[in-house]
Amino acid sequence: MAMAPLIVALVALLASTAVEAQTATDKAVLNFALNLEYLEANFYSCIAYGKPIGSSLWGMKGVAPTGCRKGKLSNRAFQYAIEVAQDEIAHVRLLRAVLGADAVDQPAMDLGASFIAAANAAASLALGSSVTLDPPFDPSANDLFFYHGSFIFEDVGATAYSGAAHLLETPAILTAAAQILSVESYHAGAVRLLLAQKAEEVAFKQPRLKTRQVVDAISALRDAVDGADDDDQGVTKSIKHGYTYNVVPADSNGLIYTRNTSQVLRIVYLGGASSGGFFPNGLNGAITTA
Ligand SMILES: *[C@@H]1O[C@H](CO)[C@@H](O)[C@H](O)[C@H]1NC(C)=O
């Protein structure tokens, strides 16, 4: 059963984590993670089921995301969307349970215009001039665009959990965070391979861009907005005559790069410091500003 480890983690955490066992830092970091999980959970829930996550998971003043659309996907792509949606919704439920009354409410999130803006910015960066993609980027439109949308988030999730690990102070919470990180990495690896397999497919006709070029552009955009480091990697890499798959964005030690909270915020705000992009009013909680 795919759900079993999460249920085990949930039970273990609920059993072992008295509220007083959590430090203020743990709460701040878990709430930061909860904001990202709200984003992912709603993205996949919209694609898979055509509706946001259940409002019982939003908190008292939580709000519905805008731009929620059901995917027009093949059966196989729906299976991926549904599986990942269930994981991400379970992460929201788990983090809310661990945080209890300290859990932040679901913030305003944009799943429509933000994707169009991100894709146009990525293409403009790649082509060195202002570009408006045709058709406009819509992750619900087809399998390929859904995979691109998924790719935008999953690497960020994996690098964010890695980057925040050193901040966590309670061993049981660090263990659960590592378990969530592993799940995000499976998602990231799966979608990276799906995209790599479609590397030669034409994603946009105007301007003409193949999948691997779009992925490189998204990767370059994440690199451009998150600061001076140049760590992000596409799903293919150039070799002498052509390219080869690059499923795992690892360094020479076989380690994934990490992102601190500021770098993550810059990406989800699409360059903004305190709001913008996928979070028009910013995150909720203590960690909201890059
Ligand atoms: C995050 O990393 C960036 C790039 O390495 C660095 O400039 C920034 O100071 C770091 N911010 C925090 C809060 O650690």
Side-chain angles (χ1 to χ4, degrees):
M1 276 290 288
M3 292 293 287
L6 276 168
I7 292 168
V8 171
L10 175 62
V11 171
L13 268 165
L14 292 178
S16 67
T17 319
V19 173
E20 53 270 26
Q22 288 178 49
T23 65
T25 306
D26 282 347
K27 287 179 192 167
V29 173
L30 291 184
N31 269 320
F32 181 74
L34 177 57
N35 280 275
L36 301 179
E37 297 290 354
Y38 281 135
L39 179 64
E40 290 186 311
N42 279 281
F43 169 64
Y44 290 104
S45 179
C46 290
I47 295 289
Y49 309 120
K51 57 185 185 192
I53 67 172
S55 56
S56 64
L57 294 174
W58 298 359
M60 290 285 282
K61 291 183 182 157
V63 291
T66 59
C68 183
R69 276 193 290 272
K70 187 168 188 191
K72 299 185 194 75
L73 308 182
S74 67
N75 285 340
R76 289 297 182 196
F78 263 125
Q79 286 170 8
Y80 169 74
I82 289 167
E83 182 178 355
V84 179
Q86 288 173 350
D87 291 340
E88 306 296 7
I89 292 167
H91 291 166
V92 168
R93 191 176 291 118
L94 173 69
L95 289 172
R96 288 184 53 82
V98 170
L99 283 157
D102 294 311
V104 294
D105 295 337
Q106 178 163 291
M109 291 177 293
D110 179 331
L111 297 171
S114 55
F115 275 116
I116 296 173
N120 286 337
S124 300
L125 186 68
L127 299 172
S129 63
S130 181
V131 167
T132 304
L133 291 167
D134 179 21
F137 179 69
D138 171 4
S140 72
N142 53 52
D143 290 5
L144 183 59
F145 283 7
F146 164 55
Y147 297 152
H148 282 120
S150 173
F151 169 77
I152 290 176
F153 293 143
E154 292 298 347
D155 286 352
V156 178
T159 55
Y161 274 98
S162 304
H166 73 104
L167 299 171
L168 292 170
E169 294 170 334
T170 306
I173 290 178
L174 181 55
T175 299
Q179 291 173 289
I180 296 177
L181 163 62
S182 302
V183 170
E184 302 299 346
S185 300
Y186 278 111
H187 297 165
V191 78
R192 290 179 68 93
L193 182 59
L194 287 165
L195 283 167
Q197 288 170 335
K198 290 179 180 286
E200 286 297 305
E201 208 167 289
V202 175
F204 291 95
K205 294 198 178 72
Q206 187 56 46
R208 189 181 162 87
L209 290 168
K210 291 181 175 179
T211 295
R212 62 188 165 86
Q213 294 172 305
V214 177
V215 170
D216 282 345
I218 294 169
S219 168
L221 177 68
R222 290 190 305 213
D223 252 340
V225 297
D226 78 354
D229 300 339
D230 183 17
D231 295 326
D232 206 302
Q233 299 176 19
V235 300
T236 55
K237 62 185 165 209
S238 297
I239 51 174
K240 199 163 177 197
H241 298 290
Y243 62 90
T244 182
Y245 283 4
N246 183 47
V247 175
V248 184
D251 67 13
S252 60
N253 289 318
L255 300 179
I256 191 175
Y257 58 99
T258 62
R259 285 192 172 101
N260 62 32
T261 55
S262 296
Q263 293 172 301
V264 172
L265 289 170
R266 287 284 185 187
I267 292 174
V268 295
Y269 294 159
L270 293 179
S274 56
S275 67
F278 297 101
F279 292 98
N281 301 333
L283 266 60
N284 285 335
I287 304 171
T288 62
T289 307

